[in-house]
Amino acid sequence: AQSVTQLGSHVSVSEGALVLLRCNYSSSVPPYLFWYVQYPNQGLQLLLKYTSAATLVKGINGFEAEFKKSETSFHLTKPSAHMSDAAEYFCAVSDQNTNAGKSTFGDGTTLTVKP
Amino acid sequence: DAMVIQNPRYQVTQFGKPVTLSCSQTLNHNVMYWYQQKSSQAPKLLFHYYDKDFNNEADTPDNFQSRRPNTSFCFLDIRSPGLGDAAMYLCATSRVSQGAGGYTFGSGTRLTVV
C-alpha cells in the first residue's frame, strides 16, 4: 500500500518569502511522486513529477521539489512567493508497478500569501 | 489544445433524481478516472477505466456507476443522489504506458443536491 502525508493543512507566507510545503510518502516499491495545484472551483493541475531520474525536479511557475529517499520526503519549494500562488496543493504517489497508474493523494495544503 | 472537458461545470439535482456527469478527452489516453472531492478534502477515487476494462474501488457505493462508450468519453451516473453526494466530481486521464506522466484533470463538475 502507498500513502502520502502532507504536514500542515494550512501554510501562510508573505509575498516574496520562501514557500515550503511538506510531503512524506510511504511505498513498498520505488514510487512516482507528483505535486498538483488546485485553484478554487477548478480541477487539479500537475506542477511537477519525480520519476526516478533526477532527484531535484523543476516544475511550472517556479516550483521545484527534491526527492529524498532516506527521509521518504518530496517537499515542494519556491524561493519567492507570489500572490497568484495562493491555492490548494496536493502531493500524490503511485508505484511503478501499480495497475493503470493509480495515484493516492494527500489531504492537501492550503497556501495563503499575504501582501 | 488537447484537453479534458467536463460538462456541466455546475449541476443542481433533486434528491433521488438520477444525474449524469460527462467527461471527454482529446488526449487519446487509455485510462480515465472519476474522483469525488468534498470540501477541503483529498480527491477520492471512485473508479477507473483501463481501456474498456472497468475497475471499481471497493468502497465506492453502488449508487455510482460509470460508462465509457469509446476512448474519448466517460460518464458518471448517480442513480439516486443523496445530500451526502454533493461534491466536486473530477475526471482525469493518463496514458498507462507513461505511468509516470501523472494525470490530466478536467475542470470538474460541482454537484449540488437539493
Side-chain angles (χ1 to χ4, degrees), chain A residues 3 7 11 16 20-21 29 47 49-54 58 65 68 75-76 89 96 100 109 112:
Chain A
S3 65
L7 300 174
V11 170
L20 171 60
L21 305 182
V29 297
L47 272 179
K49 58 189 179 185
Y50 166 75
T51 59
S52 72
K58 294 186 184 298
K68 292 186 177 180
H75 302 330
L76 182 70
Y89 291 81
Q96 297 181 22
T109 298
T112 301

Side-chain angles (χ1 to χ4, degrees), chain B residues 44-63:
Chain B
K44 178 181 180 297
L45 183 63
L46 295 174
F47 26 60
H48 73 274
Y49 274 94
Y50 185 155
D51 293 323
K52 295 182 179 179
D53 294 332
F54 176 72
N55 297 268
N56 202 30
E57 294 300 297
D59 58 353
T60 297
D62 292 340
N63 197 28

